């Protein structure tokens, strides 16, 4: 199965609903990234006329981080993560399914670990009242969509774990 195909087709019920939410979340991440680009264009044009957008670096940093995390669940769900196919090009379908199963387990553990530690980080940022220097934007607020993304990554990992587990048990066949 080519990367980026196959795992998202045929989902129904709760898995289909989760896939729809994950896709919508990735689209929102794209909107956030587009907003960052527009803000930077406005800032550059404004700087030419002596009125730059204050805090554009701060908002770019936060916006890109939020967008990048928003894409992670979609990449996991659609099997679009970066792979080193040169090492598996001669592997049997069963071994490829086993490798994908292991990757789903790693993604799930990664998501749960980051979800835990980022929630602790958000709590610390909120407790200490950290804000950006120019706009005085509370940094902990940016953690909210990131935590949602990590929770969705865990959901996507469970989906792919179940799907690739079935493929590995079936000899790697579709």
């Amino acid at each position: 199965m080519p990367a980026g195909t196959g795992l998202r087709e045929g989902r129904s019920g709760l898995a289909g609903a989760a896939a729809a939410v994950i896709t919508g979340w990735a689209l929102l991440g794209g909107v956030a990234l587009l907003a960052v680009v527009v803000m930077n264009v406005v800032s550059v044009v404004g700087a030419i006329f002596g009125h730059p957008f204050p805090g554009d670096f701060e908002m770019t940093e936060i916006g890109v981080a939020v967008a990048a995390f928003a894409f992670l669940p979609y990449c996991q769900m659609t099997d679009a993560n970066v792979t080193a196919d040169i090492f598996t090009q001669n592997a049997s379908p069963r071994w490829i399914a086993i490798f994908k199963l292991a990757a789903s387990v790693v993604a799930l553990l990664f998501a749960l670990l980051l979800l835990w530690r980022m929630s602790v980080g958000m709590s610390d940022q909120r407790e200490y009242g950290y804000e950006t220097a120019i706009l005085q934007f509370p940094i902990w607020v940016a953690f909210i969509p990131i935590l949602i993304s990590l929770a969705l990554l865990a959901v996507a990992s469970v989906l792919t774990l179940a799907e690739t587990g079935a493929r590995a048990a079936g000899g790697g066949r579709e």
Side-chain angles (χ1 to χ4, degrees):
M1 162 178 30
T5 63
L7 289 179
R8 69 181 171 275
E9 287 92 22
R11 290 190 176 112
S12 61
L14 195 55
V21 169
I22 289 167
T23 301
W25 190 251
L27 289 171
L28 284 175
V31 169
L33 202 53
L34 183 60
V36 167
V37 169
V38 169
M39 180 196 58
N40 278 283
V41 168
V42 167
S43 182
V44 168
V45 171
I48 292 170
F49 296 106
H51 300 290
F53 186 94
D56 60 339
F57 287 103
E58 297 171 347
M59 291 297 102
T60 297
E61 183 179 63
I62 291 169
V64 169
V66 166
F69 275 91
F71 300 142
L72 291 176
Y74 185 79
C75 288
Q76 177 65 31
M77 182 185 70
T78 59
D79 195 27
N81 287 314
V82 175
T83 59
D85 294 339
I86 192 167
F87 298 111
T88 60
Q89 65 187 359
N90 295 324
S92 69
R94 180 176 179 96
W95 273 106
I96 290 174
I98 290 169
F99 290 141
K100 287 186 179 206
L101 179 66
S104 292
V105 169
V106 169
L108 178 60
L109 294 174
F110 172 77
L112 294 174
L113 176 67
L114 276 181
L115 185 60
W116 166 47
R117 295 313 304 162
M118 292 291 270
S119 64
V120 171
M122 182 183 83
S123 178
D124 288 347
Q125 293 288 327
R126 188 170 185 199
E127 181 180 335
Y128 297 126
Y130 289 135
E131 298 175 332
T132 61
I134 297 169
L135 296 177
Q136 303 298 298
F137 180 81
I139 293 173
W140 71 268
V141 173
F143 280 74
I144 296 170
I146 290 171
L147 290 173
I148 293 169
S149 295
L150 290 170
L152 289 174
L153 177 58
V155 169
S157 299
V158 169
L159 284 175
T160 58
L161 184 62
E163 292 166 354
T164 56
R167 283 199 185 101
R173 291 178 290 283
E174 295 293 315

